[in-house]
Each structure stands twice: as structure tokens, then as C-alpha cells.
Amino acid sequence: MRKIGLVLGGGGARGLAHIPVLEAFDDLGIKPFAVAGTSIGALMGGAYSAGLSGEEIREHTLSLLAKRRDLWKKVVSAKWSELFSLIDINPSRPALIDGDGLVEFVFPPTNKTTFEELTIPFCAVATDFYAGTFTVLKTGDIRKAIAASIALPGLLTPQKIDNRLLIDGGITNPLPLDVLAGNDIDIVAVDVTGGPEPEGKEKPKSTELIFGSSQLMQQQITKQKLNQFPAAILLQPDIDRFRVLDFFKAKAILAASEPMREETKVALDRLLTDAS
């Protein structure tokens, strides 16, 4: 049997498009040999590696994001200490939302808390702020690692792990192909970087310029990675029209990325057939 490595890229809300790909693996009864994820890809990959199915991740996501009012009710029903731990309005702090608290809140229920307990070998990619390089996290507390991988500067708090200040992995490695490359692994990569799209306005808002510029940077890094470490299967869902923080458009993102489920199955079947 060929060893299949699944690489899930970063892209904020666009990363919900990873779910149909996970469901395709389940449809075929295939489990990846290993999974690597950046940012939202780390969140999805971590849940999948903990033993949840793609369908369970979909149900959890839709339940959490179905309606703003429902999500608010879920938040206010939590302990007040948990609620206030998510939002930090102290101007001396580097972000508004506590990453640890957010991951605890959104990560699907599972009794697996460390990398060593996971069903599938998994690693999360973050960026070492001071070293200026990406770092691979694959031991210890999985939620802490995911919090580091999704720590978008200015929005989510950076994480300190092993004396390193870690922020969003998408800044240095939005599609971590190199993490799984080699060792006779066929890589299936899901690129959800996307790109800025015009919306008929003369000039985009400042937030659109900031996030769009980040997308352009990540696109260039991804292209370089693909040139160095070609994927056996590269999946790029048609989700450019969605923005980084469009999480409340979960149903629309999943609908737009649904073709990936069949495309993944066809590509996997071809890959495994060629191997036999």
C-alpha cells in the first residue's frame, strides 16, 4: 500500500473546505499515513487525527456556526470566567482574543489531549516570531499547538512553547508540503489560500487590503513550495470569494467546496490504482 500524507493549508474560514476532502477519505475507507496542517488546517487536521470523521467535524462546525444568535447563546451559557477569557480588551496585550480559550471552545469534543494519543500521526505548523521561520509542533498538548498555529497577529494571542513565541503558521508556511515530503509518501495537498477578488467597488476597505495582501504573499510561498515538493494530488477548491473571517458563511463555503469530495475520491482512486 502507498503511504498517503494529507496536507491541509491555512486560509481562515476558507479552510472549512477541508471538510469535504476529509469526508472523501472516509467514503473510501482510507486513513492517511500522516497529517500536517497550518492554521485552520491544523484545527481540522488535529480533529481528524484525533479520530473524528469528516461528517462529525462538519456537524460540529455547522452546529457551532449555524447562527450568530445560537453561537452567542452558547457563549453566554458558559462560565463567566470562560467567556471573559476569550476577549481581552487590555491595550497592552497583542491581540483581542485568547487563542487557548478559543481552541478549547471550538475544538470538537475528544478525550485525546496530546499528540502522542492521536489515532493518526499529526503535526501542526506555526511561525517562530523571533527566528522568522516556521516550526513543526508534534509533541505535547495538541490544543496549545493548534492555538499557536492559528494565532493570527492582532486578532489571536501568540503562544509561548519551549521558549519560542509562536504565531500563525500561514505567515511562513501556508501549505506545509515539506513537512511530510520524502519517506515514500504521496502527498495530497489542499490549498485554501485563495486570492483577493474584485467586488465592483472602486477601492477595497482597509481590512480587505490587509487580508488580501497576506493572501498574495501566501500564494507566492505556496507556489515555491509546490515547485520544490510537488504534490501527488493538489486540490484547490473554488472559494476565492470568501474572506478569512467569513466563518458565519459556513454553509455557503461547504456548498462551494462540495465538488472537492468527488474530485478527491476520483484522484485517490486513480493514485491507488496506479500503485497496484
Side-chain angles (χ1 to χ4, degrees), residues 191-212:
D191 176 20
V192 292
T193 303
E197 283 199 336
E199 296 184 358
K201 295 177 290 188
E202 287 187 17
K203 188 168 64 174
K205 297 177 183 177
S206 58
T207 53
E208 293 170 346
L209 285 170
I210 292 170
F211 287 127

Side-chain angles (χ1 to χ4, degrees), residues 13 18 25 44 47 52 62 87 90 100 107 118 133 141 161-162 165 170 172-173 180 187 195 210 217 233 266 268:
H18 291 316
F25 273 82
M44 294 289 174
L52 280 82
L62 290 176
I87 301 176
N90 186 339
D100 288 306
F107 197 71
L118 296 177
T133 58
D141 188 331
I161 300 177
D162 295 333
L165 188 69
T172 51
N173 202 344
L180 296 186
I187 293 178
I210 292 170
M217 176 189 71
I233 299 173
V266 170
L268 283 171

